[in-house]
Amino acid sequence: QVQLVESGGGLVQPGGSLRLSCVASGSVNVIYNMGWYRQAPGKQRELVATMTNGGSTNYADSVKGRFTISRDNAKNTVYLQMNSLKPEDTAVYYCNARALTSFIGDYWGQGTQVTVSS
């Protein structure tokens, strides 16, 4: 099994910044994609940003130019630097990893709340 633990959420004013972190642990052989998704109240979970273990990235149009995803493969950690935050970025942010243990599976963290409000 793979455990994902997120940190770094909180309350921030519009225009502010936050950095989310997610550490993967457990019986991991290889982590392929790692990324971030978010879910706002009353809405479906949506992709924010993902990164392959080779460094290729994918961003939602709504965050391009404001958010940056990065990874430290040696530490099994993925980060999300969020700048110029807007109230519409308010959501629970979930870390996701596609990883190989004894099989390839998709794993989710518990989520961390990000609230953008004055």
Side-chain angles (χ1 to χ4, degrees):
Q1 285 291 343
V2 177
Q3 294 80 43
L4 301 176
V5 178
E6 302 108 332
S7 61
L11 173 65
V12 64
Q13 292 187 343
S17 298
L18 282 175
R19 189 190 193 212
L20 305 183
S21 300
C22 172
V23 181
S25 62
S27 303
V28 180
N29 292 313
V30 179
I31 300 179
Y32 301 107
N33 285 11
M34 291 190 83
W36 295 92
Y37 291 71
R38 67 186 181 188
Q39 187 166 18
K43 294 188 177 181
Q44 290 189 333
R45 191 173 296 188
E46 63 178 4
L47 178 147
V48 177
T50 62
M51 180 178 259
T52 68
N53 55 358
S56 297
T57 58
N58 183 38
Y59 292 93
D61 288 342
S62 60
V63 306
K64 284 180 181 177
R66 301 188 298 122
F67 291 10
T68 302
I69 189 170
S70 60
R71 280 176 69 167
D72 185 334
N73 291 330
K75 296 181 179 179
N76 287 341
T77 301
V78 64
Y79 306 96
L80 185 68
Q81 178 66 44
M82 304 185 293
N83 299 328
S84 302
L85 282 160
K86 304 175 181 179
E88 51 264 43
D89 294 317
T90 296
V92 178
Y93 283 69
Y94 295 91
C95 178
N96 170 265
R98 173 159 289 185
L100 172 66
T101 55
S102 56
F103 58 91
I104 297 175
D106 279 312
Y107 299 91
W108 294 91
Q110 293 291 328
T112 185
Q113 177 70 46
V114 171
T115 302
V116 184
S117 175
S118 55

